[in-house]
Amino acid sequence: MATILIAEDEARISQFIESGLTAAGYSVSVASTGSEAIAMARSFEFDLMILDVGLPVIDGFSILKTLRGEGHQLAIIMLTARGSSMDTVRGLEGGANDYLSKPFRFDELLARVRLRLKDAAPSASSDLLRHGDLELDHRTRRISVAGKTVDLSAREFGLAVEFLQHPEQVLSREQLLSRVWGVDFDPESNIVDVYIRHLRAKIGRERLETVRGMGYRLK
């Protein structure tokens, strides 16, 4: 499930976009200020940002410059009421992947989101993810463990994708819940731990390490 950050200070617009993207199957978070947008982009690995130019305190161009200067590669679609070609050029030359002026139709925004996510997908991955003796096939939604094919449920598959896309990295329960289930983190929920146990039973307990107080890591 692709994760999208909406940086927009007008609640009516951000709610409209969030509702449409959620219905389209994306995991969506919203930032209403420039500083909040930068902090969220630094804290979580989003696939795409819809970035309003006219944010308070820190505008969209400054956010774009900051994130690209720090090496963040998420796709960015600039969204603004400004329609001048100069602003468009400034955004694209600053590292934006696309530019859409208000007012806009949601179906056009959705088409641009899908296109930019497709552009940003690693071309070398084809349909396979590999790490050690694990190989995951997106087409069949199966994982091969030391040459033996194992069937996964939808949630187990989502977890496996996250770990194979980020091998050797610690993924917190909050990150896994947001990316795989697409809901806000509930500290009282143990659903991530339950499905980690299910996945361990299928790929081997020793492959998924518990990092106390932090989360889990694919070794």
Side-chain angles (χ1 to χ4, degrees), residues 123-129 135-140 142 157:
S123 58
S125 66
S126 64
D127 292 304
L128 300 176
L129 290 172
E135 182 178 284
L136 184 144
D137 191 329
H138 278 277
R139 294 169 301 177
T140 63
R142 290 178 175 176
F157 179 83

Side-chain angles (χ1 to χ4, degrees), residues 10-11 20 31 55 69 84 159-160 188 200:
E10 294 187 47
L55 288 170
S84 75
L159 281 175
E188 301 301 321
R200 278 173 167 164

Side-chain angles (χ1 to χ4, degrees), residues 144-165:
S144 175
V145 183
K148 181 181 178 181
T149 300
V150 178
D151 290 321
L152 300 176
S153 71
R155 298 305 188 192
E156 292 164 357
F157 179 83
L159 281 175
V161 168
E162 289 300 324
F163 283 117
L164 282 163
Q165 287 180 335

